[in-house]
Amino acid sequence: MSDNNFIYKTNKEGQTIYSIINENLKKGIHRQRNKPFVKHHIKKYDGEFPIWVSVELMSFRNLSFLFSILKDEDQKEISNYYNTDPKYLKNWILCLVEVRNICAHYTRLYNMPLKENPRLYSENEQYKGKQNKIFPIFLIIKRF
């Protein structure tokens, strides 16, 4: 991955999101170094991982970071695939990251107030005000 393909964005501490993604990717490669596809790319390509291999090693959170620093035209292209706008897709990814983390850490999901409020289209207007619950997340999943 080259940082020329992404917008420059930093976290609160001033570290670039791109560098955070790369650092997490290195940790993922190290953690999964015994998997055949990782061994293959380390041996044959001197540790160079194309993007379609890199995403296999990324956490869902890292993928959300990656989407957030894509250039506008790339975000639009991906969002078009899902028949939505980038501002919706960005929000939905964050919502799904939160739900995934709740499930992965064995926390109760039913009736749990969520931190991320999903953006809803007017077709789901009746659920506004209840966005911090799980049902609107199901609407997002259904849309995907």
Side-chain angles (χ1 to χ4, degrees), residues 12-34:
K12 293 175 187 171
E13 291 80 37
Q15 189 178 12
T16 67
I17 302 301
Y18 180 80
S19 67
I20 294 169
I21 292 168
N22 270 331
E23 188 59 37
N24 289 338
L25 180 58
K26 287 177 189 173
K27 289 176 186 174
I29 290 168
H30 180 73
R31 197 172 38 253
Q32 299 188 52
R33 67 187 174 276
N34 292 324

Side-chain angles (χ1 to χ4, degrees), residues 123-135:
E123 67 204 33
N124 296 314
E125 190 78 29
Q126 69 268 32
Y127 303 108
K128 289 210 188 267
K130 297 178 183 175
Q131 284 119 300
N132 71 334
K133 302 293 183 188
I134 191 62
F135 187 74

Side-chain angles (χ1 to χ4, degrees), residues 75-88:
Q75 285 187 7
K76 285 178 186 171
E77 187 71 29
I78 293 168
S79 298
N80 285 341
Y81 179 81
Y82 293 103
N83 297 318
T84 193
D85 185 86
K87 68 181 179 184
Y88 280 88

Side-chain angles (χ1 to χ4, degrees), residues 3-4 16 21 25 33 39 42 46-47 49 52 57 61 63-64 66 70 91 93-94 122:
D3 62 349
N4 296 338
T16 67
I21 292 168
L25 180 58
R33 67 187 174 276
K39 285 181 177 180
I42 290 172
D46 198 29
F49 290 79
W52 59 89
L57 298 163
R61 182 69 172 171
L63 289 173
S64 75
L66 185 65
L70 287 175
N91 169 260
I93 292 169
L94 290 174
S122 58

Side-chain angles (χ1 to χ4, degrees), residues 37-73:
F37 77 97
V38 175
K39 285 181 177 180
H40 169 75
H41 280 82
I42 290 172
K43 183 179 178 183
K44 186 161 183 168
Y45 299 107
D46 198 29
E48 292 294 320
F49 290 79
I51 188 69
W52 59 89
V53 176
S54 297
V55 296
E56 290 291 325
L57 298 163
M58 289 184 187
S59 68
F60 199 16
R61 182 69 172 171
N62 234 21
L63 289 173
S64 75
F65 287 158
L66 185 65
F67 186 80
S68 76
I69 62 169
L70 287 175
K71 292 183 178 179
D72 288 345
E73 59 269 18

